[in-house]
Amino acid sequence: MILLQKKRDGKELTTAEINFFIDGYTAGDIPDYQASALAMAIFFQDMTDSERADLTMAMVNSGDTIDLSGIEGIKVDKHSTGGVGDTTTLVLAPLVGALDIPTAKMSGRGLGHTGGTIDKLEAVKGFHVEISNEKFMEIVNRDKVAVIGQSGNLTPADKKMYALRDVTGTVNSIPLIASSIMSKKIASGADAIVLDVKTGAGAFMKTEEDAQNLAHAMVRIGNNVGRQTMAVISDMSQPLGYAIGNALEVQEAIDTLKGEGPADLTELVLTLGSQMVVLAKKADTLAEARVMLEEVMANGKALAKFKTFLRNQGGDDSVVDHPERLPQAQFKIEVPAKTTGVVANMVADEIGIAAMLLGAGRATKEDEIDLAVGLMLRKKVGEAVEAGESLVTIYANRENVADVIAKIYDNITIADSGVEPTLIHSVVTE
Ligand code: URA
Ligand code: CA
């Protein structure tokens, strides 16, 4: 196949060649061995900006796309590359919704050390994402915020390619990751996209340099295919906020919507939210947008929007005022610091796995999760701690949590000094 030789030799593929390949691969006319050869050639030879845009759009056009044109206003989607205790979507959707910005959100479930927005919302009794497209549109038009699960036939080319890359050593390629993520965002219909690219131990991109490269690649693809896109690079060396676990994160989201949440989660939500408000053309500057968001946190509008959002999808909105009605774990176990000092490091992905061991997350897609369990961090990196003071509270539905305690001790370092990590590394607009 001539286009495989071209890519192998570092030449640029044309739009027609990329469309031919992706269409053929999706239809099953092009076999896996040729697609793996192409992925490996891309891994070593990279792709130009126009190839990346073409690949993204070919994957978008390989299946269904969601038409949000029936929803009034500029639809801004936010996407996170995934992390530990990342409660941002739960807060952001009602927060910007309170400013009349529509969020028609398609979300997923958690796997491994990362959690998923749908699982978290299902900690609210009755809440469900199985709603028809018509109902989804109707709710967003009326109340600005709704969440549904990923539909069956969105970007089938990406599904096939991603599974193939997983077993051929070609996941870690910037052009392939960027086109994979952006194809899903574009197929789900947003006019503008805000990306939260995480960096650090709990992130897909472990180093800041990789996160920067991915962010630039995705922002360029979005802008080149006519969707205004920007990215925030944020810290995921330690978990975000204090809560890790489904019901615990719903509680954390409620606190944050009231303006009483953890400092880092609140700051990230205001940073991402300000970008969304500006992209939605509800404010001219980020500073103005931030004031508007702080106002709806302070005057109760954001919290009221959260209640409406839960109620619209069958959820018991009384949990907002009665958090004790959220699923409760049977045992609360403190993990005391062994020495006095400063928390110097907290390895985010390993802490995420500790929560998963309790049942808060899934090791495999088939696993059932326990909505009540998880971890509450009592200290974060940079904070002083005395020997005997609690580092973490474990919320468990089993009495023996020695495995979880061992994992926590292995992954939290107390030293003479430690500095709070920078939360927002940079904002990427091109
Ligand atoms: N996430 C995706 O959706 N695609 C990739 O290629 C990598 C991470
Ligand atoms: Ca959290």
Side-chain angles (χ1 to χ4, degrees), residues 158 162 165 171 176-177 180-181 184 204:
D158 172 62
Y162 198 9
R165 286 164 52 212
V171 166
L176 293 177
I177 300 168
S180 167
I181 293 173
K184 286 174 279 215
F204 188 62

Side-chain angles (χ1 to χ4, degrees), residues 244-248 327 329 355 358-361 370-375 395-398:
I244 307 153
N246 301 284
L248 296 171
L358 291 164
D370 183 339
L371 296 165
V373 303
L375 305 172
Y395 288 71
N397 276 329
R398 56 177 160 101

Side-chain angles (χ1 to χ4, degrees), residues 378-400:
R378 299 301 172 195
K379 298 284 170 186
K380 296 202 65 171
V381 174
E383 285 184 47
V385 58
E386 304 252 331
E389 239 190 313
S390 182
L391 286 171
V392 177
T393 308
I394 298 174
Y395 288 71
N397 276 329
R398 56 177 160 101
E399 205 163 0
N400 184 345

Side-chain angles (χ1 to χ4, degrees), residues 4-159:
L4 289 177
Q5 287 151 17
K6 267 178 85 176
K7 188 79 275 184
R8 179 199 66 196
D9 297 339
K11 299 199 178 93
E12 186 176 46
L13 301 180
T14 64
T15 307
E17 283 169 329
I18 290 172
N19 285 340
F20 164 80
F21 197 94
I22 294 300
D23 291 349
Y25 184 55
T26 310
D29 299 335
I30 292 175
D32 278 350
Y33 56 78
Q34 287 183 312
S36 355
L38 183 65
M40 191 59 86
I42 292 169
F43 183 94
F44 283 109
Q45 294 291 2
D46 207 342
M47 287 183 119
T48 63
D49 279 347
S50 77
E51 285 178 315
R52 293 172 183 203
D54 286 343
L55 176 60
T56 303
M57 290 315 291
M59 294 201 292
V60 169
N61 294 324
S62 70
D64 296 341
T65 54
I66 311 271
D67 181 5
L68 296 180
S69 58
I71 294 172
E72 291 156 43
I74 300 173
K75 279 75 68 186
V76 186
D77 200 359
K78 168 253 169 191
H79 175 79
S80 160
T81 58
V84 179
D86 184 2
T87 318
T88 51
T89 297
L90 262 58
V91 182
L92 265 175
L95 184 62
V96 302
L99 292 174
D100 272 347
I101 297 167
T103 305
K105 187 130 193 77
M106 195 169 286
S107 277
R109 296 187 183 275
L111 186 65
H113 68 271
T114 62
T117 296
I118 292 178
D119 298 325
K120 295 174 196 186
L121 287 165
E122 284 176 351
V124 178
K125 190 161 164 263
F127 187 95
H128 60 92
V129 294
E130 292 80 20
I131 51 176
S132 68
N133 277 345
E134 293 71 36
K135 177 115 195 265
F136 181 64
M137 297 288 205
E138 179 201 310
I139 296 175
V140 180
N141 259 329
R142 190 187 60 229
D143 289 320
K144 306 302 166 197
V145 47
V147 171
I148 53 166
Q150 260 121 7
S151 103
N153 198 35
L154 225 60
T155 62
D158 172 62
K159 277 199 192 81

